[in-house]
Amino acid sequence: MAIWRNARCSVNRGPRKRRLALGALILGAAALVGCSGASNVADARQTPAPQPAPPASETGGFNGVRAWDYLKTIVDFGPRPPDTPNIRREQVYLVKQLESFGCAVSQDHFHAQTDLGNLAMDNIVAKIPGKSPDIVLLLSHYDTLRLAGFVGADDGGSSTALLLEVAHDMCGKPSPLTIWIAFVDGEEDQVNFANQQQAQTIWSDNNAEFGSRELAARMENSGELKNVKALLLADMIGDADLDITRDSNSTPWLEDLIWSTAKHLGYSQYFLSTTMSVDDDHMPFVRKGVASADVIDFDYPYWHTAEDTLDKCSPHSLAVVGHVFLATIQALDKKFAPPKKGKS
Ligand SMILES: [Zn+2]
């Protein structure tokens, strides 16, 4: 994930344990956001044991067991920074999986001018035709940070696995709205980080979010951007201790829809009412006027450390967020492509 700006230094709601955990994270992020105090975030709490995913029949058809298998495969590729052999293996895997689900897949190759030189990058987009040309765009980055030993189980891996399973569930089925599921490259800052302290503090807008900027620009040029009714970005949603906060850079009505959907499904303990301000892959679209929401759990002690590994994530968390994504898409169908009343 990108970086967290202007975080608020007070947190008023949520159960005590979570409030403390979030407070510890805010203190730990003091170097980023200018809050007073300092704390070793990773020492602040223990990650709970991963919980199994509920059956797909209880999560709107989202198969959390299968999503977890995708995540294991992705992590097994190892560190996956742009223009490396590992990310090329991941690209082949993503395209093969999406095609096996019956998705139409477009692969957009481009070159990005980064602080590390000119890098080959790839956006991979699965497209599900709808009765309406209006688009719901789902987005995740699939690259990982350039830090020794960093496999990005949560940061990069979890949201990629989530959207693979969403694609598995939706491809080949009729859809009221057109659905695009985009896996974007080059979200992380293109720096060879020497240590996690650097990786948690250095950020340059001009040296990151390459894939999302490319996709937004291409869609603007093609005229498709104006058809996007909603962008749902997933990032860092695999944390076994799931607590997703609202983002003040996201579009309020769309966040309201996601949060009310989560509440209706009984997931209010995971979708908190606290707000942060996050710079992430939704921003190139926000700047172009697209209604966008970043679904992110930034209360993750292992963010941008080599300890962001599978044991910190949970199939249950993938299933919860997957369920909310599928149900939110249905709510967007109702909002933008209501079924026409028959005359018979
Ligand atoms: Zn990151």
Side-chain angles (χ1 to χ4, degrees):
M1 104 104 207
I3 207 149
W4 171 23
R5 294 183 196 284
N6 305 318
R8 295 169 186 190
C9 295
S10 63
V11 177
N12 299 319
R13 297 188 192 177
R16 179 174 168 76
K17 171 184 157 284
R18 291 187 183 280
R19 187 164 71 238
L20 288 173
L22 195 56
L25 181 66
I26 287 170
L27 288 174
L32 299 183
V33 298
C35 303
S36 61
S39 169
N40 183 330
V41 178
D43 289 344
R45 64 196 171 107
Q46 287 185 324
T47 297
Q51 288 181 58
S57 57
E58 295 176 13
T59 51
F62 185 93
N63 189 325
V65 173
R66 209 160 47 197
W68 185 252
D69 284 341
Y70 298 142
L71 177 56
K72 284 195 286 190
T73 301
I74 290 165
V75 169
D76 279 347
F77 290 129
R80 307 175 298 283
D83 205 354
T84 60
N86 283 356
I87 202 169
R88 280 189 271 281
R89 291 167 62 214
E90 184 185 17
Q91 288 157 357
V92 169
Y93 170 73
L94 292 176
V95 171
K96 270 193 182 164
Q97 289 295 316
L98 292 167
E99 288 179 344
S100 77
F101 306 153
C103 305
V105 182
S106 77
Q107 207 168 350
D108 298 332
H109 309 284
F110 62 100
H111 281 78
Q113 194 56 48
T114 76
D115 288 355
L116 296 177
N118 194 285
L119 298 178
M121 296 191 189
D122 242 342
N123 286 340
I124 296 165
V125 186
K127 297 178 180 175
I128 303 165
K131 283 188 184 147
S132 164
D134 289 339
I135 296 171
V136 174
L137 176 58
L138 313 180
L139 199 92
S140 163
H141 78 91
Y142 69 92
D143 64 307
T144 58
L145 189 76
R146 293 180 187 273
L147 174 71
F150 184 88
V151 296
D154 191 30
D155 189 359
S158 64
S159 51
T160 303
L162 179 97
L163 293 194
L164 267 183
E165 175 53 25
V166 170
H168 195 155
D169 192 71
M170 296 194 71
C171 286
K173 290 185 188 166
S175 175
L177 292 170
T178 298
I179 309 291
W180 284 24
I181 304 175
F183 301 84
V184 295
D185 205 340
E187 185 269 353
E188 299 289 0
D189 203 340
Q190 293 308 304
V191 173
N192 286 313
F193 292 105
N195 53 55
Q196 71 184 52
Q197 200 272 338
Q198 274 189 4
Q200 291 175 337
T201 51
I202 293 175
W203 177 261
S204 163
D205 281 341
N206 295 327
N207 197 40
E209 296 169 4
F210 290 100
S212 51
R213 284 191 275 154
E214 177 75 16
L215 182 63
R218 285 195 187 209
M219 292 183 76
E220 187 170 48
N221 288 341
S222 68
E224 289 154 315
L225 196 70
K226 64 180 186 317
N227 293 342
V228 178
K229 294 298 180 189
L231 162 65
L232 306 182
L233 171 63
D235 197 1
M236 297 174 64
I237 46 69
D239 184 1
D241 190 8
L242 186 67
D243 34 25
I244 293 167
T245 48
R246 296 179 64 123
D247 161 44
S248 62
N249 289 327
S250 293
T251 305
W253 73 258
L254 184 54
E255 281 216 321
D256 289 346
L257 185 69
I258 296 167
W259 260 249
S260 65
T261 300
K263 184 179 180 185
H264 179 72
L265 297 174
Y267 296 141
S268 285
Q269 73 267 41
Y270 307 117
F271 283 74
L272 310 186
S273 53
T274 48
T275 301
M276 295 184 186
S277 178
V278 183
D279 188 346
D280 205 347
D281 274 325
H282 58 324
M283 295 309 293
F285 293 87
V286 168
R287 287 191 285 268
K288 291 181 188 296
V290 176
S292 306
D294 190 4
V295 177
I296 183 166
D297 171 2
F298 201 19
D299 179 12
Y300 184 63
Y302 314 100
W303 172 63
H304 285 195
T305 78
E307 294 172 75
D308 179 2
T309 46
L310 210 52
D311 55 310
K312 315 303 188 316
C313 299
S314 164
H316 186 270
S317 299
L318 296 179
V320 165
V321 180
H323 193 185
V324 171
F325 264 56
L326 291 180
T328 300
I329 293 166
Q330 289 178 352
L332 289 165
D333 284 338
K334 272 193 195 147
K335 184 177 175 70
F336 292 109
K340 291 199 174 71
K341 289 189 178 127
K343 288 183 180 174
S344 59

